[in-house]
């Protein structure tokens, strides 16, 4: 049976989907970046954003430019990166972590935590502060990874806009913060600089959830509001990666719109909280 699309009967939407498939295949074949299993509508919006910003005629014109211009590629990768974050985002999540996961962490002589898709690092520094207040930071190692090298450079600096501090302070207090939030940073002319002791046990590194494998065994993995940008197949693959990377009784933290339900590993976890997306590996 011939399943080839008849070009005289295909719709503009079908043609656009074919162009996007060719675009993503070209990026993968030439550079090794694999975005083929990202959620279609999300990746479509980002491709068209780059088409317009480059003042090009269409998707295939963008592919031609990306294949011959690495600076254009870097701009495209920045578009594809998900960098929406804030300190102590969803404060109730961090409060639940403090109350129900920290007691478990106290039983370990050393603690390994992975923030996957850490973006510019706000949640990583949040975790460092939380562990410091609970007396656990000196025996903890936080691995903070992202596919985007540029956001990792920002994260390593620990320097954030001062206008965000009002929101971050509110989040911190709602999450069970024990001190004045201002004790953790210094105001400079370039923004708010968090104190160096917070980054002493943080290792920032590039890691691609799509193509890279497990690199350690962890007691906690955070990957919040990243999986919603992947299609079902890729979500399954990443959940397999997290399962392989978690120790027995390790904890997985997801975003508020994400779940382990309907995955192959759903029966391998117990819910820590019915309201917050914290799960404990039990099998």
């Amino acid at each position: 049976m011939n399943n080839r699309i008849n070009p005289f009967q295909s719709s503009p939407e079908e043609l656009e989907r074919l162009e996007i498939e060719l675009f993503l295949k070209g990026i993968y074949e030439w550079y090794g970046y694999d975005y083929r299993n990202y959620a279609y509508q999300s990746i479509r919006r980002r491709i068209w954003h780059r088409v317009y910003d480059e003042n090009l005629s269409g998707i295939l014109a963008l592919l031609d430019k990306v294949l011959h211009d690495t600076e254009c590629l870097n701009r495209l990768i920045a578009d594809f990166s998900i960098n929406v974050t804030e300190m102590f985002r969803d404060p109730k999540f961090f409060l639940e972590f403090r109350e129900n996961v920290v007691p478990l962490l106290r039983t370990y002589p050393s603690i390994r935590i992975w923030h996957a898709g850490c973006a510019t690092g706000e949640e990583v520094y949040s975790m460092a502060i939380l562990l410091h207040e609970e007396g656990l930071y000196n025996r903890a190692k936080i691995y903070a990874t992202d596919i985007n090298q540029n956001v990792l450079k920002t994260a390593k600096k620990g320097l954030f806009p001062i206008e965000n501090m009002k929101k971050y302070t509110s989040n911190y207090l709602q999450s069970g913060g024990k001190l004045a939030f201002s004790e953790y940073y210094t105001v400079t002319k370039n923004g708010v600089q968090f104190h160096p002791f917070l980054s002493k046990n943080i290792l920032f590194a590039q890691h691609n959830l799509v193509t890279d494998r497990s690199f350690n065994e962890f007691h906690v993995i955070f990957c919040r509001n990243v999986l919603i940008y992947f299609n079902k197949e890729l979500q399954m693959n990443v959940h397999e990666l997290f399962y392989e990377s978690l120790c027995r009784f390790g904890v997985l933290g997801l975003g508020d719109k994400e779940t382990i339900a309907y995955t192959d590993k759903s029966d391998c976890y117990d819910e820590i909280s019915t309201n917050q997306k914290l799960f404990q590996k039990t099998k």
Side-chain angles (χ1 to χ4, degrees), residues 173-229:
L173 294 174
Q174 292 178 64
S175 71
K178 298 180 177 181
L179 302 174
F181 190 53
S182 58
E183 291 192 22
Y184 291 108
Y185 61 79
T186 300
V187 177
T188 73
K189 63 179 181 180
N190 296 318
V192 166
Q193 179 69 62
F194 278 81
H195 295 325
F197 82 88
L198 291 172
S199 59
K200 69 175 183 177
N201 292 342
I202 301 173
L203 176 64
F204 291 100
Q206 188 175 32
H207 182 276
N208 188 338
L209 287 172
V210 179
T211 58
D212 295 340
R213 301 311 304 159
S214 177
F215 58 93
N216 210 327
E217 185 178 65
F218 298 96
H219 301 102
V220 178
I221 297 177
F222 274 14
C223 186
R224 305 186 64 222
N225 302 307
V226 175
L227 295 177
I228 54 175
Y229 297 99

Side-chain angles (χ1 to χ4, degrees), residues 146-165:
D146 201 278
I147 190 176
N148 188 331
Q149 289 183 333
N150 291 327
V151 298
L152 288 173
K153 290 177 182 177
T154 299
K156 288 178 183 179
K157 294 177 182 177
L159 183 68
F160 302 111
I162 191 170
E163 56 266 25
N164 293 345
M165 288 307 110

Side-chain angles (χ1 to χ4, degrees), residues 127-144:
M127 179 55 61
I129 290 171
L130 188 154
L131 292 174
H132 168 72
E133 293 186 351
E134 297 298 331
L136 295 174
Y137 192 47
N138 285 337
R139 53 174 141 145
K141 189 75 172 181
I142 301 176
Y143 298 79

Side-chain angles (χ1 to χ4, degrees), residues 85-87 122 164-172 181:
T85 186
E86 61 187 46
M87 296 198 74
E122 282 87 336
N164 293 345
M165 288 307 110
K166 182 177 180 180
K167 171 67 171 174
Y168 293 175
T169 299
S170 175
N171 286 354
Y172 165 74
F181 190 53

Side-chain angles (χ1 to χ4, degrees), residues 37 39 226-242 257-259 261 263:
N37 286 320
V226 175
L227 295 177
I228 54 175
Y229 297 99
F230 297 165
N231 68 14
K232 293 298 182 184
E233 178 184 350
L234 184 51
Q235 288 180 20
M236 294 289 188
N237 292 341
V238 174
H239 275 294
E240 182 68 30
L241 169 63
F242 291 159
K257 296 181 177 63
E258 297 165 335
T259 183
T263 72

